[in-house]
Amino acid sequence: MQAARHSAPPAALTSSPSKERQRRRRRQLGDNSWGYLFLAPWIIGMLLFLAGPTLVSLYLSFTNFNLLNPPKWIGAMNYVRLFTMDSRYLTSLRVTFTYVAFAVPLNLAFALALAMLLNAKIKGLGLYRAVYYVPSLLGGSVAIAILWRQVFGPSGIVSQILAVFGVQGASWVSSPNSALWTLIMLHVWQFGSPMIIFLAGLKQIPKELYEAAVVDGAGRWQQFRMITVPMLTPVIFFNLILQIINSFQAFTPAFIVSGGTGGPLDSTLFYTLYLYLQGFGNFRMGYASAMGWVLLIIIGAFTALAFLSSKYWVHYEDER
């Protein structure tokens, strides 16, 4: 009995670790309570306005829903119709892919070129940077889209400039051959945000690399190709992802320039515009929800491809 009494640990010793853990948890919860309180509006908003509608749209994509009658479950019929019975949907895919394929690289190239110019040592550089950033603030607005339609109209500035050289102007936004290109030019004109990011990346490149290249006899093109581009690849990758996502979601320019129809001859029928027409024009909310989920999958696939390919062309300083 004495041996057992001596071998059994005191009750205070067995309960103290658990009580200590409970006190530590309560203390930690109390310390973080203000943090949770400040996060609460964001969490509630995300659940109500993002997570909730997202799950509801997933359900509606498998239904026939016109806002007037209760949703009727039809399985995957909306997705089948998209790719087998709707020729305008396939047209919207072709227009959107063309837009993304040209608008994204042209925008990035133009932004990088201007960032390199603004990285030079010239007087009034701060003013130039502010002026060149203005289009990014105005580029996606309705007012600029209306202005763009006037600029490329039959009596717009472009036609007037061409008339000086004896070239007869035309309504560039009314022609099926040129309407999409005017929207691509509008996207390229919104170079402000990627330009600022490129400029920040250029500032991080060590000047010793360029000095060593000059000593070795490298020209400006060789410096750009062998130093600037490799050192900027993380920034290029970041801008590429943002531009891909933004380009697939482009809506306002096509809606304003085409008058909400995607014309002429569906040449500016962006994916998002056709989704809007189906959902709020034809009240086919189930069909529009299916289009939304296909667009989400497309953007996710392109983003995943960019991340998978990044290991072959994106270089980080901490890599060996």
Side-chain angles (χ1 to χ4, degrees), residues 31-185:
D31 295 339
N32 297 332
S33 59
W34 282 104
Y36 293 129
L37 182 63
F38 283 112
L39 279 174
W42 181 85
I43 294 174
I44 295 173
M46 187 196 68
L47 293 175
L48 290 180
F49 302 112
L50 183 62
T54 300
L55 294 177
V56 171
S57 71
L58 178 61
Y59 165 72
L60 291 179
S61 69
F62 294 98
T63 66
N64 183 13
F65 181 47
N66 60 3
L67 289 177
L68 301 177
N69 300 314
K72 182 180 179 182
W73 182 267
I74 58 173
M77 184 56 67
N78 285 329
Y79 295 94
V80 175
R81 286 175 181 167
L82 283 175
F83 295 99
T84 59
M85 305 178 189
D86 193 345
S87 60
R88 288 197 80 192
Y89 173 76
L90 299 179
T91 301
S92 71
L93 275 178
R94 178 181 56 79
V95 171
T96 304
F97 281 131
T98 305
Y99 175 78
V100 174
F102 287 96
V104 171
L106 288 176
N107 179 278
L108 293 180
F110 196 64
L112 178 58
L114 280 177
M116 294 190 67
L117 286 177
L118 294 178
N119 195 39
K121 295 180 179 178
I122 56 177
K123 292 183 178 178
L125 194 57
L127 176 63
Y128 289 133
R129 290 172 182 170
V131 169
Y132 280 109
Y133 188 68
V134 169
S136 179
L137 300 176
L138 304 175
S141 65
V142 174
I144 291 300
I146 295 175
L147 174 65
W148 211 254
R149 187 173 60 184
Q150 299 299 325
V151 167
F152 287 94
S155 59
I157 297 176
V158 175
S159 296
Q160 293 179 12
I161 293 175
L162 292 176
V164 174
F165 299 98
V167 179
Q168 186 177 2
S171 180
W172 306 97
V173 296
S174 301
S175 172
N177 298 323
S178 58
L180 180 60
W181 290 101
T182 62
L183 298 182
I184 291 174
M185 292 178 65

Side-chain angles (χ1 to χ4, degrees), residues 248-320:
F248 272 113
Q249 295 176 334
F251 171 78
T252 304
F255 183 83
I256 298 299
V257 171
S258 69
T261 62
L265 298 178
D266 289 345
S267 59
T268 60
L269 186 64
F270 283 8
Y271 194 102
T272 51
L273 178 57
Y274 189 52
L275 188 154
Y276 171 82
L277 292 176
Q278 289 294 332
F280 296 94
N282 301 328
F283 298 106
R284 301 175 67 186
M285 283 298 173
Y287 198 70
S289 298
M291 290 184 63
W293 275 93
V294 173
L295 178 61
L296 176 64
I297 293 172
I298 291 174
I299 294 176
F302 273 83
T303 305
L305 285 176
F307 272 94
L308 289 175
S309 65
S310 65
K311 62 182 179 182
Y312 299 107
W313 62 275
V314 179
H315 309 287
Y316 296 97
E317 291 186 9
D318 56 349
E319 289 181 343
R320 294 182 177 178

